[in-house]
Amino acid sequence: MVSTAISAPKTPSPKVGPTTPDVLLRVDGLLDEEERQIRDTVRALVRSRIAPEIAGWYEAGELPARDLAVELGSLGLLGMHLRGYGCAGTSAVAYGLACLELEAGDSGIRSLVSVQGSLAMFALHAFGSEEQKEQWLPQMSAGRAIGCFGLTEPDFGSDPAGMRTRATRSGDDWILNGAKMWITNGSVADVAIVWARTDEGIRGFAVPTDTPGFAAHAITSKMSLRASVTSELVLDDVRLPDSARLPGATSLRAPLSCLNEARFGIVFGAVGAARDCLETALAYARSRTQFDRPIGGFQLTQQKLADMTLEYGKALLLALHLGRAKDADGLRPEQVSLGKLNNVREAIGIARTARTILGASGITGEYPVMRHANNLESVLTYEGTSEMHTLVIGQALTGTAAFR
């Protein structure tokens, strides 16, 4: 005989002692087994390879990008959400979680992976010829070749339609002239995806960086993203065969779609930087003693920790929601803007609040908080400033473009 008694709902056992934000938010329950495995693999890489070195790389303003690319490629992290040509073909959520863990190490590391996979490789995968894909994608997925993405110009950031870089016909060839600015991976790249104005509109070109007339100059005077390669690209009568043109890219929509791919990684990545700041502040609050007690025992400190945990949790939930939606039926640009605007803005707030808990120690390289805060100032403005994402969302809500 089957009992019809209604059993009481299960009540989680009370947690004894301090917990972590992820345990409090029950993050593991939001992920499937494969997603947890990918997250844990990347987290282990960051802890063993990145964390011991990143403060020194940041202070020196350098990054062993080529060595790291091979290591990241060996784990299948480069172009991991793309299919074929040596790419892993993971879900959007899995890619996002990898970006989260990489940026918990440093925004510069996530930028290396993001520009490689979501800009340069994505452009080739989505718009390149079969010959271009076969030539570049297997090498890039393995980290044996590095790519960069040349869209932003010295005078045109938020308005890429105003670009001055020009590609003109010369018989069966193209001649490229112009300059691109703030290009991640530029001076270590083997191939540059360069966008230029033609008589037929905006077109993309896969430019081998050893082509005569192409030059990349490292930008070194940075207070942010110091552990990242940032460059200016100069194209002076660069002659390319028509086979270098991306045949599927026929308008400005092509590079903008690439930017949406990269922005999606930022939605998750910023959460990683926020988590590292929050965890650092928690550990410091438990160990730092003032007035004969840990500062974590004071109400004002606990309020800061609680507020940071809430904003971290909401940002993570938003990232996961957008990732599930992307895997299900894709995301519109304004939906990606929601994630980037909120999550980078909240991550900066968490970094700044965490710095106050650390006091003077928070400005030193001994702790990662100021490094994250400085990096996030760049993340806030690259691949769409907070102002532009605000207006993209505003246009979606009102039907009126406020920036044209």
Side-chain angles (χ1 to χ4, degrees):
M1 182 175 180
V2 178
S3 171
T4 58
I6 300 176
S7 59
K10 293 182 179 180
T11 302
S13 300
K15 176 70 179 177
V16 178
T19 188
T20 69
D22 279 4
V23 170
L24 184 62
L25 294 163
R26 301 178 71 171
V27 171
D28 276 9
L30 303 173
L31 310 176
D32 64 29
E33 182 178 355
E34 182 181 20
E35 290 164 349
R36 290 193 294 269
Q37 288 177 347
I38 290 172
R39 178 201 63 184
D40 292 346
T41 297
V42 182
R43 185 177 295 183
L45 169 72
V46 169
R47 287 177 174 172
S48 64
R49 179 70 173 98
I50 306 301
E53 305 287 348
I54 190 63
W57 293 338
Y58 187 90
E59 185 171 357
E62 59 188 24
L63 184 74
R66 287 199 167 275
D67 291 341
L68 282 177
V70 172
E71 294 179 50
L72 295 164
S74 69
L75 291 179
L77 297 178
L78 302 178
M80 62 185 286
H81 58 308
L82 305 177
R83 296 188 181 278
Y85 309 97
C87 302
T90 66
S91 68
V93 170
Y95 169 61
L97 292 169
C99 288
L100 188 154
E101 296 300 331
L102 290 168
E103 194 146 356
D106 191 80
S107 299
I109 308 301
R110 197 268 308 146
S111 292
L112 169 63
V113 171
S114 181
V115 169
Q116 177 87 341
S118 288
L119 288 179
M121 291 178 68
F122 180 83
L124 288 162
H125 194 274
F127 306 111
S129 66
E130 190 61 31
E131 179 184 0
Q132 290 167 340
K133 295 174 187 179
E134 293 286 357
Q135 178 183 2
W136 290 112
L137 290 178
Q139 295 185 69
M140 295 172 77
S141 67
R144 294 190 298 269
I146 295 178
C148 67
F149 187 85
L151 178 63
T152 298
E153 297 190 358
D155 295 322
F156 293 95
S158 296
D159 182 19
M163 71 174 66
R164 294 183 180 134
T165 297
R166 185 85 184 170
T168 56
R169 281 285 195 177
S170 176
D172 294 332
D173 294 342
W174 293 89
I175 306 296
L176 272 64
N177 284 282
K180 302 294 181 177
M181 195 68 170
W182 309 115
I183 308 304
T184 298
N185 299 346
S187 55
V188 295
D190 300 283
V191 60
I193 306 302
V194 175
W195 301 93
R197 182 179 301 283
T198 74
D199 290 339
E200 293 79 33
I202 303 299
R203 297 293 185 267
F205 297 85
V207 183
T209 57
D210 60 359
T211 304
F214 179 93
H217 308 293
I219 299 171
T220 57
S221 298
K222 299 185 296 180
M223 303 303 291
S224 177
L225 287 179
R226 290 181 56 78
S228 177
V229 176
T230 310
S231 309
E232 177 188 18
L233 309 184
V234 178
L235 300 106
D236 184 10
D237 286 338
V238 173
R239 178 177 288 273
L240 298 169
D242 188 57
S243 60
R245 180 177 53 86
L246 304 183
T250 58
S251 72
L252 189 60
R253 290 181 179 272
L256 294 183
S257 70
C258 300
L259 289 177
N260 272 327
E261 285 293 308
R263 288 166 184 153
F264 174 78
I266 293 173
V267 173
F268 277 84
V271 179
R275 190 195 69 202
D276 197 47
C277 291
L278 174 54
E279 290 179 343
T280 300
L282 269 171
Y284 191 86
R286 292 170 184 155
S287 62
R288 173 68 167 173
T289 299
Q290 290 287 282
F291 303 106
D292 301 320
R293 62 190 300 187
I295 63 173
F298 291 104
Q299 291 181 358
L300 290 177
T301 302
Q302 289 191 2
Q303 180 184 28
K304 292 177 182 180
L305 294 169
D307 286 345
M308 286 191 290
T309 298
L310 284 170
E311 296 309 321
Y312 161 71
K314 288 187 284 186
L316 178 58
L317 290 173
L318 176 57
L320 287 170
H321 170 68
L322 292 174
R324 302 288 181 212
K326 183 173 173 61
D327 281 326
D329 52 15
L331 290 174
R332 299 193 304 273
E334 58 267 27
Q335 293 170 325
V336 180
S337 289
L338 286 169
K340 183 178 187 290
L341 176 63
N342 180 81
N343 287 8
V344 180
R345 184 168 62 189
E346 296 308 321
I348 288 178
I350 288 170
R352 291 170 177 167
T353 302
R355 210 289 300 168
T356 69
I357 292 176
L358 270 69
S361 295
I363 70 169
T364 71
E366 182 181 357
Y367 296 93
V369 174
M370 185 60 79
R371 173 169 52 80
H372 283 306
N374 285 354
N375 285 340
L376 287 166
E377 291 291 346
S378 290
V379 179
L380 183 70
T381 55
Y382 73 20
E383 295 180 29
T385 65
S386 57
E387 291 84 358
M388 290 304 299
H389 288 297
T390 297
L391 297 180
V392 167
I393 296 167
Q395 180 180 0
L397 293 171
T398 67
T400 302
F403 50 86
R404 297 191 183 280

